[in-house]
Amino acid sequence: MTAEPGRGQSRKPGDGQPPAVAPARLRRLSRWLVEGLREDLAGLYVESHATAPGDPYRRPSRQHFLNRLTVDMRRPGFAMVIAETDSLTGCAFGFPVAGDGSWWLGFDGALPRGIEQLTASGNVFAFAALLIRPHPQDRELARRVQERLLTDHQASLGATLVDRADRPTLAALCSWGWLDVGELRRPAGATTFRALVLPFGERTTARLEGLVTMPEGGGPGGP
């Protein structure tokens, strides 16, 4: 995932910038179709997670992404939406969060009540990945892909986990409307994650207002 604050603004032809491209088409994929696109999806993962010069964080490998995709595809309710023009430009996939709250296991402190209630009612969808090829309109494309998955599953809240050290991805998600709500660490894992949520709909947004965490004295995800 990659983005920069201020990106996503359309430009008019003749202002020194190339004209806006046609909107990407969104398409829901079955597990069978996902299998046929595995290499393309891995390529999108690599391109959307390109390491900026001077960034000390090293993201998981292409093969690690493919291994995780294989695991996630076996989860109940797995769904994927892709965005495409003449090539693959974006992708998001995930699965519904179980109402027993087990997805939040390892959350540091008490889970905000609004999130707990939405989880118990089956209205939360976990994003395992959100991949957007770098582009001046990537913010708008991310919004469309996110909303399509949430709409398809009648979910009021998206949820995802990001390695605390992966600050570029944290910054991208926050620029795409996600809220950093706290820290989470799986009991058997070594990685500390930031837990982020994406409210969908006015009622959910109002219900979760004020949940943004400002860790380490900086913005979401740290300074």
Side-chain angles (χ1 to χ4, degrees), residues 84-199:
E84 51 191 352
T85 51
D86 55 346
S87 62
L88 190 62
T89 59
C91 165
F93 62 86
F95 45 87
V97 172
D100 61 7
S102 56
W103 192 86
W104 299 101
L105 184 65
F107 188 83
D108 185 15
L111 187 66
R113 183 167 178 79
I115 296 176
E116 186 176 33
Q117 292 173 338
L118 287 169
T119 300
S121 61
N123 289 323
V124 181
F125 186 86
F127 283 71
L130 175 58
L131 313 175
I132 303 295
R133 177 167 288 139
H135 186 274
Q137 296 178 2
D138 58 9
R139 184 180 300 176
E140 172 63 16
L141 182 57
R143 181 192 64 78
R144 291 178 60 207
V145 172
Q146 293 168 171
E147 291 186 358
R148 173 64 181 273
L149 266 184
L150 293 174
T151 299
D152 285 355
H153 283 267
Q154 300 182 330
S156 302
L157 189 71
T160 195
L161 300 178
V162 179
D163 188 333
R164 183 176 62 179
D166 188 358
R167 296 191 177 189
T169 295
L170 286 166
L173 286 171
C174 290
S175 78
W176 294 340
W178 291 76
L179 306 177
D180 185 337
V181 296
E183 201 161 85
L184 185 149
R185 185 169 182 173
R186 298 300 188 201
T191 302
T192 300
F193 297 98
R194 298 303 305 178
L196 290 88
V197 297
L198 180 69

